[in-house]
Amino acid sequence: MFDGVSGRYDLLNRVMTLGQDSAWREAMWRGVPDSARRVLDLCTGSGTSLTGLLRPGRTVLGVDVSLAMLRVAADSLAGAGWAPRLACADGFRLPLRAGSLDAVTVAFGIRNLRPRREALAEIARVLVVGGRLSVLEAAAPEPGPLAPFARWWIRRAIPFAGRLSPDPSAYRYLSESIFEFGSGPEFEADLAAEDFRIVARRSFLFGAARLWVAERRPPVGQKATEPADVAQGAMFDTGDSAQARSRGARVGDEGAAWRLLQAVTSTALAAALVWAVSMWLKVRDDLPLTPPQRLGGSILLVGGLVVFAARSLIQWLRWSASRDGGVRHP
Ligand SMILES: C[S@@+](CC[C@H](N)C(=O)[O-])C[C@H]1O[C@@H](n2cnc3c(N)ncnc32)[C@H](O)[C@@H]1O
């Protein structure tokens, strides 16, 4: 199925997440300790999450079962001066030794891996004890004032946008699988059952997407004894990583300030257009214009207002997603 949608996947992903997915991915990346040396992005698809995992001295591996998606990833990363290792493999049978990774990320992929507990057991197998799992996933809306809109977006808008894709049935599946995944408690129970301890969680866009950062606990009855470099890879606050994190926080602050500026500018333009539309409605009949010219003026002003109102909403959502640089700890 993913082979069939690989060509337009990234574009549709942008549309369906209202352009928010990059901010959410940034939060997922922050769930990976800077000191992690061997990191797997599972269900990597077109590789959108790979570049943000890049760190000096780190090996980044992207695994997906769809060869066509991996081709898109290879093409988009060609010429970037950096080649992540891509492998076509099944998430249930990873071609990796036990305990060979310091961290695993999965963006919008865990929903597809069923039975989920088996997939989590395989991830736990390849992670060192204390290793991190950072999962970003689209979730079913929880009850609340915006739940009807969110349900409409997933049930109607996503399958509708999917008509642009060569395989619209894939987007119906996508919509159904979000409801099947649930709003989170079921996933958290599976994490706990497979020896993961949740260390941070976040919710984005009123719960439309969620992030979990979990740590692999030692299996029951086994003590956590790992080589020093591996244990360091699993920690957040070594000296170097603290420095890198403070650098990251500065970059995050600048990103948030820039998004705030964009949001304020867009809102000011939208407000100016509200005023312009109200003036236009008052005076347009008195102006020496032909009916087509009046219609054109109305379309331009009202269209501009709709565009800038939507843009302002998106900019404020982006700003709110980037404002809190880190992941929240429970
Ligand atoms: C919704 S896409 C997400 C792609 C990417 N992570 C992103 O954030 O855009 C889900 C991906 O999971 C992959 N996938 C599904 N089942 C898989 C499995 N059993 N093993 C590995 N990858 C799988 C699909 O091929 C697809 O590329």
Side-chain angles (χ1 to χ4, degrees), residues 15-280:
V15 172
M16 288 183 311
T17 60
L18 299 172
Q20 299 294 293
D21 66 306
S22 45
W24 304 343
R25 281 177 213 277
E26 277 174 31
M28 179 184 77
W29 295 327
R30 283 188 209 106
V32 175
D34 284 310
S35 51
R37 291 284 162 264
R38 300 153 302 174
V39 179
L40 163 69
D41 184 46
L42 180 58
C43 298
T44 196
S46 54
T48 323
S49 295
L50 288 170
T51 41
L53 290 170
L54 181 62
R55 294 286 180 287
R58 179 183 282 176
T59 300
V60 178
L61 175 67
V63 163
D64 200 284
V65 81
S66 158
L67 203 52
M69 289 294 257
L70 288 173
R71 286 209 179 97
V72 177
D75 288 349
S76 67
L77 295 164
W82 169 66
R85 293 165 197 205
L86 300 175
C88 188
D90 182 7
F92 290 90
R93 284 173 215 83
L94 290 168
L96 295 163
R97 277 199 297 274
S100 56
L101 299 173
D102 300 316
V104 174
T105 56
V106 194
F108 307 112
I110 204 84
R111 208 178 56 229
N112 301 294
L113 302 181
R114 285 176 287 188
R116 192 162 59 215
R117 275 191 58 182
E118 279 180 28
L120 289 173
E122 178 64 350
I123 294 172
R125 182 185 72 77
V126 295
L127 270 176
V128 294
V129 170
R132 292 284 160 130
L133 170 62
S134 193
V135 174
L136 178 66
E137 192 49 275
E142 281 180 329
L146 288 166
F149 170 74
R151 267 195 287 274
W152 172 84
W153 184 259
I154 299 167
R155 245 192 258 285
R156 304 265 174 250
I158 289 180
F160 183 78
R163 288 188 195 174
L164 294 175
S165 142
D167 181 6
S169 69
Y171 286 83
R172 285 198 293 278
Y173 158 78
L174 203 108
S175 150
E176 284 158 17
S177 64
I178 294 174
F179 287 107
E180 280 166 23
F181 179 74
S183 61
E186 306 86 346
F187 179 57
E188 295 193 4
D190 288 347
L191 280 172
E194 295 304 329
D195 289 326
F196 282 101
R197 182 177 71 89
I198 295 175
V199 294
R201 58 167 79 78
R202 272 191 77 178
S203 141
F204 306 100
L205 204 60
F206 314 108
R210 288 177 189 273
L211 171 74
W212 291 270
V213 182
E215 185 182 77
R216 197 205 141 187
R217 285 188 306 217
V220 180
Q222 187 185 314
K223 273 176 68 184
T225 48
E226 295 294 326
D229 64 332
V230 159
Q232 186 192 32
M235 284 197 246
F236 267 108
D237 281 315
T238 61
D240 281 357
S241 74
Q243 266 180 19
R245 265 147 51 83
S246 101
R247 267 199 312 275
R250 273 202 307 278
V251 172
D253 288 349
E254 283 164 19
W258 172 240
R259 286 186 177 122
L260 177 63
L261 182 67
Q262 285 185 311
V264 170
T265 313
S266 274
T267 308
L269 281 166
L273 279 163
V274 169
W275 176 81
V277 168
S278 71
M279 293 306 289
W280 170 254

Side-chain angles (χ1 to χ4, degrees), residues 2-16 46 69 72 161-167 171:
F2 282 99
D3 277 354
V5 297
S6 59
R8 294 212 185 129
Y9 175 81
D10 282 338
L11 172 68
L12 282 163
N13 205 15
R14 269 287 137 86
V15 172
M16 288 183 311
S46 54
M69 289 294 257
V72 177
R163 288 188 195 174
L164 294 175
S165 142
D167 181 6
Y171 286 83

